[in-house]
């Protein structure tokens, strides 16, 4: 039981998590100076407000107070209250008419007892007791005590004074036993008493009667619903801004025009270098966020260039074909996805394979290669971790479930069921959020920008900048990087007059069949067919 003493009877408002519900506010007619009022308000565990008011009116005076029993709380929405168990003793009378409960007191002392129903509404989380009274008479001394059986009541706010100029209560405190005391003196006509207390959820029963244009419509747009959808709008705006910024950052890498020179000159020699040591297959994956057949083919060529594989043109059944043979076994210099590509080409016990054989159904399993490439990109920080991207989906699923529960609960109790719908919609947005985020991280965007800068740098390379002895190495090392950008033909054209024997070794050191050639004219004519056949093998499973 919760008990109030002192002051003019006011309005009772109870809410949970900031949802406000009001009880009748008192409106008094002018009363002569010297009127004394003592009001004991008891909020029972059943959710009804029991009131005992003692009013003393001086000689030749009178006092009138009315409590509205129908209170508008929104567009076409109103709270309905009921007063029962009314008794009056002394020089006082009461009446109920036109949705008003009126108390009238003549000179002398009068005592009024009555019960107000339908005063309480709540929602999960907490209950807030808000007592607001407006004094239409001067009060010499006001003493208030509040008793809560749970001893868990706390003061949220207490203010006194005229509307718009209220001041904190001078003397309000809660004793260790949980009893709240408020004492004020020299209160003037027009002053308001605004006291807000917080109680544990379920302290009293909820019984609010909400009616109006949306009567019995628990899905009506009420103030709490507008607040919930405003919060939803802010959340959606924040999500949209986050996605927009991430996609804008990713798009900026394509609009950049910087150039990265992949050639390093020192001591009369030239070397090829890639930005951040990125590998060809890795670069192709980061550029378009997909493990394409050309990325796998570029990895195969790169393994040959780095002396793990040897490529030999052959003629089979009157058609051109190529054999890929083992040169060196995989070692710790290979990344995991490169080892996966190597093992798929040449499983244990297989030393050579024809490209035509790779096109046989089930011979080349591509999904493990793609998965290994994506895992590598996550490990290097270029791609977002899918496990982290799953967190918003789990949160969204939880919000959808929570929203559904709250919707049903509020529809069956206090109304404002659309609050739960707003929560569920936030969950839906969270579920779909990762779908619209770029796979690349900020680091991945930086690497993608540098790879594109390197591609522009490769387009600007001229063969006469490179010493003849270094031309074959640089041509070979850069070739897989030109493949992922569709610029291999241009790169080969740049070096088509290169003598592959200028390094004292005949032919290309990783691609057989050109030992007697003094230029790359035949290689330029045949290599595109090899790449086309290899990419075709990387498309079929």
């Amino acid at each position: 039981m919760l008990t109030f003493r002192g002051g003019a009877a006011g309005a009772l408002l109870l809410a949970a998590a900031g949802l406000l519900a009001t009880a009748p506010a008192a409106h008094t007619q002018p009363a002569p100076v010297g009127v004394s009022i003592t009001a004991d308000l008891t909020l029972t565990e059943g959710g009804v407000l029991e009131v005992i008011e003692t009013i003393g009116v001086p000689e030749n005076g009178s006092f009138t107070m009315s409590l509205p029993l129908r209170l508008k709380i929104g567009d076409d929405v109103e709270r309905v209250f009921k007063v029962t168990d009314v008794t009056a003793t002394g020089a006082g009378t009461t009446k109920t008419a036109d949705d008003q409960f009126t108390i009238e007191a003549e000179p002398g002392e009068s005592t009024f007892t009555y019960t107000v129903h339908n005063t309480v509404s709540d929602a999960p989380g907490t209950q807030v007791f808000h007592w607001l009274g407006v004094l239409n008479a001067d009060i010499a001394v006001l003493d208030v005590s509040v008793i809560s059986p749970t001893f868990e009541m706390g003061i949220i706010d207490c203010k006194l004074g005229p509307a718009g100029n209220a001041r904190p209560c001078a003397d309000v405190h809660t004793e260790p036993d949980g009893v709240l005391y408020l004492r004020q003196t020299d209160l003037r006509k027009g002053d308001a008493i605004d006291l807000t207390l917080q109680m544990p959820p379920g302290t009293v029963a909820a019984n609010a009667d909400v009616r109006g244009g949306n009567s019995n419509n628990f899905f009506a747009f009420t103030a709490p619903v507008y607040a919930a959808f405003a919060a939803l709008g802010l959340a959606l705006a924040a999500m949209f801004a986050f996605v927009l910024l991430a996609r804008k950052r990713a798009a900026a890498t394509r609009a950049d025009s910087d150039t990265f020179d992949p050639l390093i000159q020192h001591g009369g020699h030239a070397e090829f270098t890639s930005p951040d040591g990125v590998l060809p297959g890795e670069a192709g994956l980061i550029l378009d966020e997909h493990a394409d057949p050309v990325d796998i083919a570029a990895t195969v060529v790169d393994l040959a260039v780095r002396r793990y594989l040897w490529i030999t043109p052959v003629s089979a059944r009157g058609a051109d074909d190529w054999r890929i043979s083992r040169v060196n076994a995989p070692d710790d210099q290979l990344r995991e996805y490169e080892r996966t590509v190597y093992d798929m080409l040449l499983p244990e016990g297989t030393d050579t394979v024809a490209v035509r054989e790779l096109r046989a159904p089930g011979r080349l399993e591509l999904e493990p290669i793609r998965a290994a490439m994506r895992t590598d990109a996550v490990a290097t920080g270029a791609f977002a971790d899918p496990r982290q991207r799953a967190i918003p989906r789990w949160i969204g699923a939880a919000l959808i479930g929570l929203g559904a529960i709250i919707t049903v609960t509020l529809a069956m109790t206090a109304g404002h069921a659309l609050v739960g719908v707003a929560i569920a919609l936030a969950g839906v947005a969270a579920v779909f959020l990762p779908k619209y985020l770029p796979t690349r991280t900020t680091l991945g965007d930086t690497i993608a920008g540098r790879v594109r800068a390197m591609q522009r740098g490769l387009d600007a390379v001229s063969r006469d900048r490179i010493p003849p002895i270094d031309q074959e190495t640089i041509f070979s090392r850069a070739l897989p990087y030109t493949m992922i950008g569709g610029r291999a033909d241009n790169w080969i054209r740049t070096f088509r007059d290169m003598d592959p024997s200028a390094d004292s070794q005949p032919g290309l050191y990783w691609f057989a069949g050109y030992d007697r050639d003094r230029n790359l004219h035949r290689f330029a004519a045949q290599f595109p067919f090899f790449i086309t056949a290899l990419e075709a093998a990387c498309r079929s499973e």
Side-chain angles (χ1 to χ4, degrees), residues 21 58 63 71 88 127 133-134 174 181 203 214 279 316 345 400 439 475:
F63 177 82
L71 185 64
Q127 286 187 324
V134 179
T174 303
Y181 294 97
T203 300
N214 291 312
L279 297 171
L345 289 174
I400 292 172
T439 304
F475 166 77

Side-chain angles (χ1 to χ4, degrees), residues 61 65 181 205 410:
M65 179 178 70
Y181 294 97
L410 293 181

Side-chain angles (χ1 to χ4, degrees), residues 15-145:
L19 304 180
L20 192 63
T22 61
H27 303 284
T28 64
Q29 295 180 357
V33 176
V35 172
S36 63
I37 304 173
T38 300
D40 297 342
L41 283 72
T42 302
L43 181 64
T44 69
E45 292 180 355
V48 298
L49 188 66
E50 297 178 350
V51 182
I52 301 175
E53 290 190 16
T54 301
I55 302 175
V57 180
E59 188 176 356
N60 299 323
S62 65
F63 177 82
T64 301
M65 179 178 70
S66 63
L67 301 173
L69 301 181
R70 190 177 293 269
L71 185 64
K72 185 175 181 180
I73 60 174
D75 293 339
D76 299 326
V77 180
E78 57 187 9
R79 286 286 303 273
V80 178
F81 304 90
K82 182 173 66 174
V83 175
T84 63
D85 306 322
V86 180
T87 62
T89 60
T93 61
T94 66
K95 66 177 180 178
T96 302
D98 300 326
D99 293 324
Q100 295 280 335
F101 174 65
T102 304
I103 294 174
E104 295 181 347
E106 298 299 327
E109 185 174 277
S110 304
T111 300
F112 303 90
T113 302
Y114 54 93
T115 300
V116 184
H117 299 263
N118 308 331
T119 61
V120 179
S121 67
D122 64 6
T126 187
Q127 286 187 324
V128 177
F129 185 95
H130 185 188
W131 186 51
L132 176 64
V134 179
L135 305 177
N136 276 8
D138 291 341
I139 304 297
V141 178
L142 172 67
D143 287 299
V144 179
S145 64

Side-chain angles (χ1 to χ4, degrees), residues 113-327:
T113 302
Y114 54 93
T115 300
V116 184
H117 299 263
N118 308 331
T119 61
V120 179
S121 67
D122 64 6
T126 187
Q127 286 187 324
V128 177
F129 185 95
H130 185 188
W131 186 51
L132 176 64
V134 179
L135 305 177
N136 276 8
D138 291 341
I139 304 297
V141 178
L142 172 67
D143 287 299
V144 179
S145 64
V146 185
I147 301 174
S148 173
T150 65
F151 302 99
E152 297 180 5
M153 181 176 59
I155 303 172
I156 296 179
D157 194 16
C158 181
K159 293 182 179 179
L160 285 170
N165 193 27
R167 62 188 183 280
C169 298
D171 185 6
V172 58
H173 64 279
T174 303
E175 294 292 337
D177 60 359
V179 180
L180 179 143
Y181 294 97
L182 169 64
R183 178 179 177 82
Q184 297 293 322
T185 61
D186 195 23
L187 296 174
R188 298 299 180 183
K189 178 180 178 180
D191 282 354
I193 306 170
D194 192 343
L195 177 64
T196 305
L197 307 176
Q198 188 174 43
M199 298 177 294
T203 300
V204 297
N207 54 15
D209 184 1
V210 181
R211 303 178 185 179
N214 291 312
S215 179
N216 298 322
N217 181 7
F218 294 104
F219 291 89
F221 279 90
T222 61
V225 171
Y226 283 120
F229 274 88
L232 172 64
L234 291 175
L236 292 178
M239 291 181 187
F240 179 78
F242 179 72
V243 171
L244 186 63
L245 289 174
R247 295 178 71 89
K248 184 177 180 180
R249 183 197 67 213
T253 64
R254 293 188 290 270
D256 199 354
S257 59
D258 291 343
T259 299
F260 174 86
D261 188 355
L263 301 183
I264 299 177
Q265 306 282 349
H266 61 87
H269 289 277
E271 293 181 358
F272 171 81
T273 183
S274 65
D276 301 303
V278 65
L279 297 171
E282 177 189 13
L285 173 66
I286 292 175
L287 282 178
D288 61 10
E289 302 179 351
H290 295 284
D292 301 316
V294 67
D295 302 331
I296 301 174
T299 299
V300 173
V301 172
D302 188 55
L303 290 174
V305 169
R306 290 157 60 194
R307 302 179 188 274
Y308 288 96
L309 301 174
W310 173 256
I311 301 171
T312 306
V314 295
S315 178
R317 300 177 184 178
D320 289 337
D321 199 359
W322 298 263
R323 299 198 70 82
I324 301 174
S325 304
R326 188 188 304 267
V327 176

